[in-house]
Every structure is written in structure tokens, then in C-alpha cells.
Amino acid sequence: RQDVLVLTPWLAPVVWEGTFNREILNAQYMQKNLVTGVVTFAVKKYWFFIEGFMNSANKYFLAGHQVNFYLFTDSPEQISHLQMAPENQLFVIPIQSDSEWQDISMSRMDTISRYIHSQFQYEVDYLYSIDIDVQLFEHIGVEIIDTLVGTISSCQYTTQRDSKPYEPRTESQAAVPKGEGDFYYTASFYGGSVAEVYKVTTACFKGIMEDKEKGIEARWHDESHLNKYLLYHKPTRLLSPEYYWDEGL
Amino acid sequence: RRQDVLTVTPWLAPIVWEGTFDSQIRDSLYRPLNLTIGVAAFAIGKYTRFVAGFLESAEEHFVKGYQVNYYIFTDSPEALPSVQLQPGQRFVTVPVKKYSSWQEISMHRMEAISQQVAELSHQGVDYLFCLDIDMVFHNTWGPETLGERVAAIHPGYFTAPRSRFPYERRSSSAAFIPGGEGDFYHGGAVFGGLLKEVYELTKARHMTILADKANGIMAAWQEESHLNRHFLSHKPSKVLSPEYLWDDKKPKPPEIHLIRFSTVVKNYKEVGN
């Protein structure tokens, strides 16, 4: 690929179709006997997306490798029987829903961090947080596996740095100084080693709470905090917008 | 950004060329980690004459500002020059026994390195580079080179098609690579990575070299052949472009913007090859 950036200035690969050979990567992944987890939230009306997400993810996400799906939902009774691939497992975790969707989105960080600490760290090596309102149309494979992985937001890929929607107000913990920032990452798909994801989610939630105490809320909620974190803790691998395309654009 | 060369391997390992990285960002990632970077080099017999040039140029260009431990393996410690190093840098002489031929020397390097790893670990070495001594640094070799398992592209083969790579082609050798396989031809003069990765590499290759010896075969390019075989099944997490392993006898092609580490022109008769 010569038309896109395939390497960041800190030498992290940017994953685009055509840059990698999945066979080689699969062989490397299998050598290490790894388990990857996916954490997703289906709260309030979002239960509607569960079937579509689970059926497509079950088929296309790290197909052939063991994946643990952790589904947090406030309506576990809505989940119809989902057929899982033999190597995959689904864990339905009931949670209470907050009143506003921004709160739900912000408390995800806390939930993920707490569950990593109490459970996930013992069950998976790598963990990815993916929004439930997506369907996979193509295989997403082990090319996503690395220590700290961010996905470049599709709506921000081609804009110049100054128009990336970072949080501008310096009072917020998510503030990114003007002129700084490498990429704008989407909070809809990020992950990495379970240890790194713990650090990300804990740090973001801390920022969210500090903002809340000041009566401020970042422009794009948990995504703003994620972007601040990834600016100062550079991802070891980036996924191109192919990995999370917002059809609404 | 480089568009004239491959900058990522098919297994998503970066290939390091001038223009692909920002050294300030790399430095800011690694400096706070308080790393110790080791260099292992062999100065056997007449090769002790290269030590001064190697060390002086390393002091100027090799991961400047980082803690560096130099491990010089030699059969003639008394012939080593005394070189002024920056404060804090460490110089360790590792005595090795005398071997009859340079092929023998080359084949025992893997063993010697793997045997020293425990000591290196005690001394806090995080990353280790194994470099040939008859070379000199001309430009910055920085933290862009740090990675779990690091190999370099041989300067003579980076534009050659795979069929021309001088891999060991006899199936009776443990270094055998069949036709149609292999990604790069790596030079034996530069390899490295995390200490435990270098340990695994040198231990494994020492075994394959011994296996060949037991079968009465010596690989076409000695340990370089075995090294290439290793990187076929244990793919490097980072590949250094030939900027990091250059041969001064070669004319500089347009892809090479900068030569960082290169051979010293030597009189082969004098050094007893």
C-alpha cells in the first residue's frame, strides 16, 4: 500500500488491507496459545443489536481462535439463544443501567476496569472493547493483536490535526493542547493486552470522575479521554478506519 | 514517510529506514525506562585491531545518552586497546578460547553469547545487540532499533529476488531453507533484541550448528545461514534496513539515504582469513 500511512512516526504499524499476510500472523498467534476477549455493552434499547453483533462477530472475529465474549446488559432476558462457534464462549453479565446514555458510555470504562481486575485478567491475554451497534462484514483477524491498539476514527482520518475533535477546554482532564495529537481514535474499538487495557480504562475513568467533580463533561465523553490517553501512551499498533466504519457518514 | 521502499513486513513488523520515524518521539518513549543496552562483539586474533575504531565510533553514535555495556569476547585480552569511554558506560572483556580457523570462531559465537547471558542479566542488560567488530558507526543508531527480536537486511541482497538469497540449500543441514521460502536475507553481523530473545536465538542456533557438525556438514555461510533459518520460523519483530549494516565496498544506491554502521575496509591477508 503506497496510498496510505502504514507506519506511525514511532514505528507502530497501521493495519490496512494489503499490508499483512494473515497466514503468517495466525501461525505466530497459535504458537503462543492465546485467548482474546471482547467486551461489549447492550444497555437499554441497544439490546436490539445483540443478535446482529454476536452472529457476525462469532463468524468473523478471530475466526478459528478461542474468543471469550463478555456481554454486559441490563436486559439479559432479551437474549435469544445464540449459537456460538465451538471455540468461543459467551458470558452474559447483567448490569444496572444509568439514566443518560452519556453516563452509560462513561461508566463503561469503570466497569471494564473493575472486571479486568476481578475476572478478565485470569481468563484472557488480550481484550478488546467494541461497540455493540456494529456488524462485521469481513474477517477481523489476529492482525489486531498487540499490546495497545487504537483504531483511527473514520470521520477524522483525512482532516488536519487542528480540526480533530479533541477536548479543547483545559479544565478537562481530557484536554489536548492545541496543535498536538497524532490521530483521532474511536472509542468504539480499542484494546490490547489485558494489563494495558486495565491501565487505559482506569486512567480514563479517573479523568472522567475528576471532570464530573468539576461539573464538566468532555465533548465526546469517554472517547475524548481515550484520545488524551493514547496521545501520551502511544499505541503499539493502529487499526485503519477499515476496522470501524461509521455508516452514518 | 518513505514510499520507495517497503516499510512494514507482511507480519506487520516495521522496517526501519531514515524517514520512517521521528527520533524524538522514539527517544521520549525509551529514555524514561532507564534501559541498559548491551553490545556483544568478538575480537579474535588479529581482529583486536578493530576494537578501538568500533568503540570510539559507538561512543559517538550508538544509543547516545543511554547506559551501554560493551562485552568484547576475545582470545587475546592483553591485545585489547584501552579506550576512553563516557562515564557510566561499562566495558567487559570476555575471554574465549583460541580456535584454529575463522569458520570455527564464527560457529562458536552463538555458544559463547548464550553462555554469557546469565551474567548479562545480572548486570541489568535489557536489550542486547550482537555486532561484528570490524565495523564502524558513521551515523546515529538510536532507540528506533529497539525491539523484541531484531534482524538486519544484508546490504548485498536487499533488492535481490528471493531465489538469489544464499540460504543453505542442502536439506541435510539444519539451516536448510527450501526454495520459495524466506522473507529477507539477513546479515550475520547485526542481530539483537530483548535479552531473553537473544538467549533463545543463540541457544537454538548453537544446537543447530552442533547438529550440522555431527552430520559432517558446515552451512554455506556458517552462522549467518543458521541465523537466517532462525528468522524464518521466529520472525523478527523489527527489521533494520541496510543503513544499519552496510558494506563500504558497495556503491550507495538511491534508497540508502544514510549509512549508520558499515564495514571497515581491511586487508584480508593481514588479518589472516
Side-chain angles (χ1 to χ4, degrees), chain B residues 59-131:
Chain B
E59 283 290 280
E60 206 188 319
H61 297 294
F62 184 79
V63 289
K64 210 142 182 221
Y66 291 76
Q67 168 73 38
V68 180
N69 291 5
Y70 297 96
Y71 299 92
I72 306 294
F73 293 68
T74 184
D75 58 354
S76 14
E78 67 291 347
L80 289 183
S82 59
V83 176
Q84 187 80 326
L85 297 179
Q86 278 158 75
Q89 308 298 51
R90 213 171 161 157
F91 181 93
V92 178
T93 305
V94 183
V96 295
K97 65 184 241 221
K98 289 188 193 308
Y99 286 105
S100 46
S101 67
W102 71 268
Q103 290 94 332
E104 281 290 303
I105 295 162
S106 164
M107 299 295 250
H108 279 92
R109 292 202 317 180
M110 292 290 177
E111 179 185 38
I113 296 168
S114 67
Q115 283 174 345
Q116 280 301 117
V117 166
E119 188 54 39
L120 263 61
S121 174
H122 268 125
Q123 293 178 8
V125 173
D126 301 293
Y127 290 91
L128 179 67
F129 283 99
C130 302
L131 305 175

Side-chain angles (χ1 to χ4, degrees), chain A residues 2-15 19-22 24-25 28 31 143 182 234 237, chain B residues 1 3-4 7-16 20-22 25-26 29 144 149 183 233 235 238:
Chain A
Q2 292 206 310
D3 55 326
V4 290
L5 185 73
V6 295
L7 204 59
T8 69
W10 60 93
L11 296 173
V14 184
V15 186
T19 58
F20 63 93
N21 178 321
R22 196 174 275 138
I24 301 180
L25 293 173
Q28 286 183 323
Q31 263 182 347
E143 66 277 5
D182 312 297
K234 304 220 182 288
R237 185 170 297 204
Chain B
R1 179 155 144 188
Q3 297 207 307
D4 56 326
T7 57
V8 179
T9 69
W11 58 94
L12 297 171
I15 304 175
V16 189
T20 57
F21 63 95
D22 180 320
I25 301 183
R26 287 294 300 191
L29 288 177
E144 70 280 358
R149 193 159 51 236
D183 312 289
S233 46
K235 302 214 183 296
K238 182 169 285 183

